[in-house]
Each structure stands twice: as structure tokens, then as C-alpha cells.
Amino acid sequence: MSKKQYLMIALFVIFPLVLGLACRGSSPDPTATPTEEIAVVVEPTEAPTEAPVEDPTPEPLEEPTEAPVEEPAEDPVQDTDNFQIGDVGGLIVQENRQWIQGDYSVFVAFFIENPDDELIYKDVSYEITLYGSDGSELDTYYESIRWVFPDAPTAVVADVYLADESVEVDYVSVTMSYGELIAPEGLYNPFVVDYVDHWPGDFFMDRATGSITNPEDDTYTDIRVSFIAYDDMGGIVGGGYTFVDFIPGNDTIGFSTLFDTYGDVASIEAFANFTYNTLIYSGTAFWSELSYPDFHFIRGEFGDMVGGALIRNETDTILRNTKLHITFYDAAGRVTAAGSGSSDMLFPGDTVGISPWVSSEPEGATTTDYEFFVLPGDVVDDFEVDANPFVVNSTEIIGAYDDQVAVTFTNNYSKAISDVSVYVLVFNAEGLIIGGGNTWTSESVPAGGINEVEVYVYYAADETVDSIEAWVTPWYWSSFE
């Protein structure tokens, strides 16, 4: 069941809270005049009356099962003067490659390409070895790529940290191998990375932002985004990688991450790919009904985006590992910041407050719009309890800088419980969410016992905390004794 609600505040428009398959919250019209604060308030949505009919447990991405195919002959060693890449068994290494020694590490970037449109290379491993001028081995770095698909290059980006920062690297060698060749059987990389932007850093690292579109109906989790920066001649002058928790089907999310540069950046190219942790949520029936009684995000004093959202489980099942992803945009639609947060355990009918960690807004950016998605999580069967056994007794802002909240709570269950999660949202005098935080404690709380936990909270520096709300929950690995 979908609910739509619109409310105009200072030229900001709230888009549908729940749209199609995705549980989604958004804010203003990107054509609106930028303001100094993003302010959004919504009234509680009407609770859906229908429970999900299918278990939303995700499935691993299936490997193609077609019979083994003939392997291509290996290529000879592909060398430059100081960058050697060994036999890769049919994979092509593009000529544009680079390694650069920095203060603490060696940045390495190259592209591998699968020229056979009828095969997928599985478990492609690469080992990067750094050598000194005397031929001595300085450091090594090893990683593996789940699949290398046809028709598109795969970017390899790595920072190999030096055990001895005083040494000088003379040349780099890469040894590559793969596990097996498989037929695609419909498996391919669907992700499209758009609108990649470079934001120069004034006193720190540069920042790359962009958006990833998933044109498929299915939702994928744990995606790696690798990106490479070029100068105006097309030479590689930096890069890096980041991860996003999930990409909803038929939709777009943003990413933002810092990276080192070793020259003037003219453009950035980014690539999204599956990881070994990627799971698939097939179709749309898995989406549990969630509602959002309140959400609010604002720009902090130093250009950071702060706030949070209340998320309510409208189903009759326990949901585990509910994830929130939020993307911030400027008036031109460029990504200015992105962040994520999660809830370990959300019981039927319960609400939890999530204050996601969000990257800083780049220097010179003006955020005018944001959009968030919530992946409801996995259904939990046969858990020790079917309702939250914890009750919050009191909350108090403490600390020399009013940056901590003391949360006192009681365990109303008949057994002691250890390993619990604590979530906090803080509000200003107008009742708007201005920030929050969360923590985890392994301390055992006896049956009927009371415990106190201190939670660091982050909120807009020019705001004053007027009220606090907290939630304490077990999580999937809690112990009951």
C-alpha cells in the first residue's frame, strides 16, 4: 500500500513517501530558490492495513550453471617501463594505467577488459607487489573481483600502504589469475553511473560525488563504486572507491567519498560492480510496509548535513538490518552529500529513530534537495522474544559540549540480555529533528534490571537541544541467559 503526502515549506516540496517498490522519503523541488536551511515536517502517515504476503529474505546472486567452456589462450606479459602486469589468460589490460607514490601509500589504477561477449571471468584475483630499485620486495596487496563482464571495462583501484614510508618505490608488478570461465545465462552488470562530479579540497582531500541508476526490477545490496580521475590530457591522476549498502530497483541513489589526487583533475569516471557480499531482493513483493512519522534534515554550521528519521514497522513480523540511504542534491541535480544508517531489530508496530552518518557538503556546494530510501530488512523467525523487552526510563543531555545523551532503560524480560543497541534523536524547541546518534553495548542487563548507556550525538552546532527520544532494542546476536 502506498501513501502520498505533500507539504510546502519555504519552497521545498516533499515527494511521495512510499513510491512503487521502494520505501522512499524526499524533499524539495530542485528548481526552488536555495535557502540556508533544509526544513521538512510531515504529519504522521496513515498506517497500512495489509501485511506483506511474502518473506522478504534476500537470495544470493545465482551463478550460471552451464557446462564449462573452453578457456582462451593466455596473453604474454604486458609491460611498461616500471609497471609490469603478468599473464591474464585472455583478459586485456588497457594501456592507460598508472601508479603514483604518495606520502604513505602507492596509488595503483588500471583497467581490465573482457573481449569475449559469450563468457564471464569469475574470481579474477590480482596481487600488486611494490619493488625498490635494488629489486627488493617492499609491500604487497591482494584482492579479488567477483565477475568481469564482457563489453565494459572493469576499473582496478588500490592504495597499497607502505610499511616503511621512507622507502622509494622503483616499479610495480601485478600478477593476475581467475577461477573459471562461465556462460552469462542472463547475468550482467546493470548499473549505470551518471553525473560524476569532482569537488576540489581546499585544505584536505578532494571529493567525488555521483549517482548510480539500477534499471532492473530487482534490488541489489553491497555494491562497490570505483572511480578514476584524469587530467586534461586523459592521464590518470588519482582515484579511489567506496561502497553503497543497496540500490533499489528502477531507481537512483547517490554516493560521495574523499580521494587523493596527484595532479590537476579535469574529469572523473566511475564504475559500479557487484561484490562477494551482494544479495538480490527479487521483484517488488519483498518490500515490507514502513511508515515515516517524522523526518527532518538541515545544513549544519560547517556545511555538514544533519538530522534523522522515525521509521515504523507496520507489519506483524520482526525486521532485521533495516537500512536507510540518503542522497542530497543541489539545484542542478548534482550530488552534494550522501549517507546511511541502520536499525538492528525492529519489532512489529514499533518505531525507531535513525540518524544516518552523512558525508560533508563540498566547499562551494549549496544543497537544496534530498531523497532517502529504506530497505525494510529481513524477516526474523523464531526469535527469543516477539516484542521489544526494553523500556526507556529517562534521557538527559550531558557532556562538556552537550554532545552526549545518558539513556536509562529497564529490561522487562524474564532473562538477562546482553548485546543491545541504543538509538537517539534530538529535537529543537520547534519539535524538529536536528540530529542524533547510536551505540551498542555488550553489558548484560539482568531480568528486571536497569542500565545506563551514554550515546554520542551529533547535531547542528547552532541549534539547542530541547527534547530527546531514545530507543533500546536487542539485535539478532543478543544473548538471553
Side-chain angles (χ1 to χ4, degrees):
M1 180 179 295
S2 297
K3 295 292 180 183
K4 295 182 180 180
Q5 190 172 53
Y6 300 88
L7 181 63
M8 181 75 77
I9 298 181
L11 300 182
F12 291 94
V13 179
I14 306 303
F15 292 121
L17 293 182
V18 181
L19 180 59
L21 103 86
C23 298
R24 173 188 203 168
S26 66
S27 65
D29 184 346
T31 63
T33 303
T35 62
E36 280 302 311
E37 175 176 291
I38 301 172
V40 179
V41 183
V42 297
E43 299 175 0
T45 58
E46 179 184 345
T49 57
E50 298 178 4
V53 295
E54 294 190 17
D55 187 335
T57 303
E59 301 174 355
L61 280 167
E62 294 185 2
E63 302 282 0
T65 56
E66 193 167 303
V69 294
E70 183 178 352
E71 298 185 3
E74 293 189 346
D75 287 346
V77 173
Q78 305 174 56
D79 292 347
T80 62
D81 291 340
N82 60 358
F83 198 165
Q84 303 171 1
I85 299 181
D87 296 339
V88 290
L91 289 171
I92 296 173
V93 179
Q94 295 184 357
E95 291 184 3
N96 193 11
R97 62 187 95 157
Q98 185 65 274
W99 69 265
I100 306 169
Q101 183 170 356
D103 293 334
Y104 310 103
S105 63
V106 173
F107 166 76
V108 179
F110 59 95
F111 293 94
I112 54 178
E113 191 171 349
N114 175 4
D116 194 327
D117 59 5
E118 296 182 356
L119 298 173
I120 294 175
Y121 283 75
K122 180 185 175 184
D123 299 328
V124 176
S125 300
Y126 56 93
E127 184 174 30
I128 301 171
T129 306
L130 312 181
Y131 292 92
S133 58
D134 59 356
S136 61
E137 183 177 311
L138 302 177
D139 279 288
T140 60
Y141 176 93
Y142 174 87
E143 200 163 1
S144 186
I145 304 169
R146 186 171 183 178
W147 295 308
V148 175
F149 295 94
D151 303 325
T154 297
V156 176
V157 183
D159 279 301
V160 185
Y161 287 89
L162 295 164
D164 183 355
E165 299 165 7
S166 66
V167 301
E168 184 174 345
V169 177
D170 185 64
Y171 69 97
V172 172
S173 176
V174 179
T175 302
M176 300 182 64
S177 63
Y178 61 91
E180 61 181 311
L181 291 163
I182 55 178
E185 294 186 1
L187 180 65
Y188 78 109
N189 183 343
F191 307 118
V192 179
V193 183
D194 297 309
Y195 310 112
V196 183
D197 289 292
H198 167 242
W199 305 84
D202 289 343
F203 305 104
F204 198 46
M205 303 170 71
D206 289 18
R207 183 174 294 278
T209 67
S211 57
I212 310 168
T213 297
N214 172 18
E216 295 294 302
D217 293 336
D218 299 332
T219 293
Y220 300 96
T221 70
D222 298 294
I223 302 301
R224 174 170 171 153
V225 184
S226 301
F227 57 93
I228 293 179
Y230 304 94
D231 60 21
D232 56 6
M233 299 296 291
I236 297 173
V237 292
Y241 61 88
T242 188
F243 296 89
V244 294
D245 288 335
F246 64 93
I247 305 180
N250 299 306
D251 229 309
T252 300
I253 65 164
F255 66 89
S256 173
T257 185
L258 297 169
F259 71 103
D260 285 318
T261 57
Y262 304 91
D264 294 332
V265 176
S267 63
I268 295 180
E269 189 176 21
F271 310 83
N273 210 343
F274 299 114
T275 68
Y276 285 94
N277 294 322
T278 298
L279 298 175
I280 179 173
Y281 287 77
S282 298
T284 62
F286 73 89
W287 288 94
S288 303
E289 293 283 359
L290 300 176
S291 63
Y292 311 97
D294 191 11
F295 61 87
H296 182 246
F297 293 88
I298 58 175
R299 182 185 297 106
E301 184 179 13
F302 304 106
D304 45 350
M305 311 308 299
V306 295
L310 293 177
I311 299 172
R312 179 179 171 84
N313 178 4
E314 301 288 1
T315 78
D316 58 1
T317 59
I318 303 173
L319 299 178
R320 175 171 70 98
N321 200 22
T322 298
K323 297 179 180 180
L324 179 153
H325 182 93
I326 186 167
T327 306
F328 295 87
Y329 301 91
D330 66 11
R334 297 182 302 174
V335 174
T336 59
S340 62
S342 64
S343 165
D344 293 323
M345 192 78 74
L346 190 52
F347 288 87
D350 279 3
T351 299
V352 68
I354 297 179
S355 181
W357 178 90
V358 179
S359 61
S360 298
E361 184 185 61
E363 183 72 23
T366 301
T367 299
T368 62
D369 186 16
Y370 64 86
E371 178 180 52
F372 68 84
F373 294 88
V374 179
L375 185 67
D378 308 329
V379 167
V380 178
D381 296 317
D382 301 324
F383 194 59
E384 173 82 17
V385 294
D386 57 10
N388 190 356
F390 296 114
V391 174
V392 174
N393 303 324
S394 65
T395 59
E396 180 185 5
I397 191 81
I398 61 173
Y401 302 98
D402 290 338
D403 59 356
Q404 297 180 70
V405 170
V407 179
T408 303
F409 61 95
T410 299
N411 173 17
N412 286 332
Y413 191 48
S414 59
K415 298 180 182 179
I417 307 175
S418 59
D419 301 314
V420 300
S421 299
V422 185
Y423 306 88
V424 171
L425 290 181
V426 293
F427 302 76
N428 63 13
E430 288 73 39
L432 301 177
I433 301 169
I434 57 173
N438 65 277
T439 192
W440 165 85
T441 177
S442 61
E443 185 176 351
S444 179
V445 186
I450 298 175
N451 196 11
E452 180 178 287
V453 175
E454 295 179 0
V455 182
Y456 173 77
V457 290
Y458 188 67
Y459 56 96
D462 55 351
E463 294 280 353
T464 300
V465 175
D466 181 75
S467 61
I468 306 166
E469 193 166 358
W471 301 263
V472 180
T473 68
W475 72 306
Y476 191 69
W477 304 109
S478 290
S479 298
F480 298 85
E481 302 172 354

